[in-house]
Amino acid sequence: MIQIENVTKTYNNSVRAVDQLNLTVNNGEIVGFIGPNGAGKTTTIKMLTGILKPDSGSVIIDGYNMSTEPLKAKQAIGYIADSPDMFLRLKGIEFMNLISDIYKVPTDVRKERIKTFASRFDLTEVLDEPMQNYSHGMRQKMMVAAALVHDPAVWILDEPLTGLDPKSAFALKTMMREHADAGNSVLFSTHVLEVAEKLCDKVIIINHGKTLFYGTLDELTARYPDMDLEKIFLEMTAHE
C-alpha cells in the first residue's frame, strides 16, 4: 500500500511544487499518475521514494513511514526513474548483481530472476556488455529489470514505458497487472492517456501540485459524458 497524507513541497521558499496532496494506492490497485509538465508528478515520486523530503505531511510505504523507517520503506519499493542513464560503465549483469547485493537477494534467487527478466525483455545477449553500449530502450529495460529483481511489494514507476519497444512495453504492462492481481500496489506516471485508460484501476490527475481528480475512470467519465480521457484531461487542466 502507498499512502500520501497532506504532503507539501516548496522550492526556494516560493514555488510550491506539491500542495497538501493526499493519495492512497491500495493493495491490488494500479493507479495512473497524470498531469501536465510541471504539475508536481516527479517531485511527488521523489518524495515517495525518499529522494526528497516533504516539507510537511507523511509518506507511508507498505506500512512504513518514510521519515522514521526509511530503510524498511525503501526495501519495499521497486522504483523506475525517468532516466535510464545510470551506472553506464557497468555491464548489465554487473548492474543486476549490484542491485541484488544492495537488496540482499540470495544468489540462487537472483540468478533465476535475472534469467527470467533477461528473457522477457530480450536482454540475454547483452548482459555481458557495458550499458554505455546499449540503446536508450535497452537501458530502460535494464532499469525495469533491476528495479524488480528484489520482488518489491510496491512499484513506483516514473514514465516507465518511454523508449520501450512494443513487445517490452506489453511485457511490462502485463507484469504490472500480474503484480497488482497478486495483492500488491502500483503507481506509475504517464503521458500516454490511452495506456492509463486501458491499464489503471484508478487515476489521479494533478496540476500545480494539487489534486484535480482521484478515482475510477467510470467516476471520471461520469463527470464528463461523451468525452474521452484526453479531452477530459485537457478540459480539467485548461482552467488551472
Side-chain angles (χ1 to χ4, degrees):
M1 180 181 287
I2 302 170
Q3 295 169 278
I4 303 173
E5 300 174 352
N6 298 316
V7 164
T8 294
K9 182 65 179 179
T10 302
Y11 293 116
N12 300 321
N13 295 318
S14 60
V15 180
R16 183 161 288 190
V18 178
D19 189 1
Q20 293 290 308
L21 188 66
N22 289 278
L23 171 65
T24 297
V25 182
N26 293 308
N27 293 333
E29 287 184 342
I30 300 176
V31 174
F33 201 15
I34 303 172
N37 291 334
K41 300 190 303 299
T42 295
T43 295
T44 300
I45 286 174
K46 287 182 176 179
M47 288 189 288
L48 279 170
T49 54
I51 297 171
L52 292 176
K53 292 184 178 180
D55 299 332
S56 60
S58 60
V59 172
I60 312 294
I61 302 293
D62 201 31
Y64 300 108
N65 189 304
M66 185 63 74
S67 295
T68 58
E69 297 180 282
L71 287 180
K72 290 182 178 179
K74 291 175 183 179
Q75 285 172 347
I77 296 171
Y79 170 50
I80 301 175
D82 58 350
S83 171
D85 297 329
M86 297 177 283
F87 300 98
L88 297 184
R89 293 189 179 183
L90 294 181
K91 296 177 182 179
I93 190 64
E94 292 173 336
F95 179 60
M96 291 292 291
N97 278 315
L98 171 64
I99 301 302
S100 297
D101 286 342
I102 290 172
Y103 287 99
K104 300 179 181 179
V105 182
T107 300
D108 57 336
V109 174
R110 77 175 65 175
K111 283 184 177 180
E112 188 61 34
R113 288 179 184 166
I114 291 171
K115 180 181 178 181
T116 298
F117 286 132
S119 175
R120 205 157 189 178
F121 292 113
D122 292 328
L123 292 169
T124 304
E125 301 301 321
V126 298
L127 283 177
D128 288 323
E129 294 183 20
M131 293 194 297
Q132 62 189 0
N133 296 342
Y134 291 10
S135 67
H136 177 88
M138 288 169 62
R139 292 175 188 175
Q140 181 71 6
K141 290 189 285 187
M142 185 59 70
M143 293 302 120
V144 172
L148 307 182
V149 72
H150 63 294
D151 192 26
V154 172
W155 291 9
I156 300 175
L157 319 178
D158 196 356
E159 297 290 344
L161 302 175
T162 301
L164 294 185
D165 58 84
K167 178 182 176 182
S168 298
F170 178 79
L172 179 55
K173 288 185 284 186
T174 301
M175 290 169 65
M176 291 165 65
R177 186 71 268 168
E178 291 171 350
H179 189 67
D181 288 346
N184 302 298
S185 52
V186 178
L187 176 71
F188 78 104
S189 68
T190 181
H191 287 295
V192 185
L193 300 178
E194 183 180 0
V195 171
E197 194 167 15
K198 292 180 178 179
L199 187 61
C200 297
D201 301 301
K202 294 178 182 176
V203 295
I204 178 170
I205 301 175
I206 73 169
N207 200 13
H208 302 300
K210 294 184 177 182
T211 302
L212 304 182
F213 173 82
Y214 178 56
T216 67
L217 287 167
D218 286 343
E219 291 169 341
L220 179 59
T221 54
R223 294 189 186 184
Y224 297 86
D226 304 319
M227 294 175 66
D228 61 25
L229 186 58
E230 182 175 4
K231 289 181 179 179
I232 293 171
F233 173 77
L234 293 173
E235 175 70 18
M236 295 183 75
T237 57
H239 302 297
E240 291 295 314

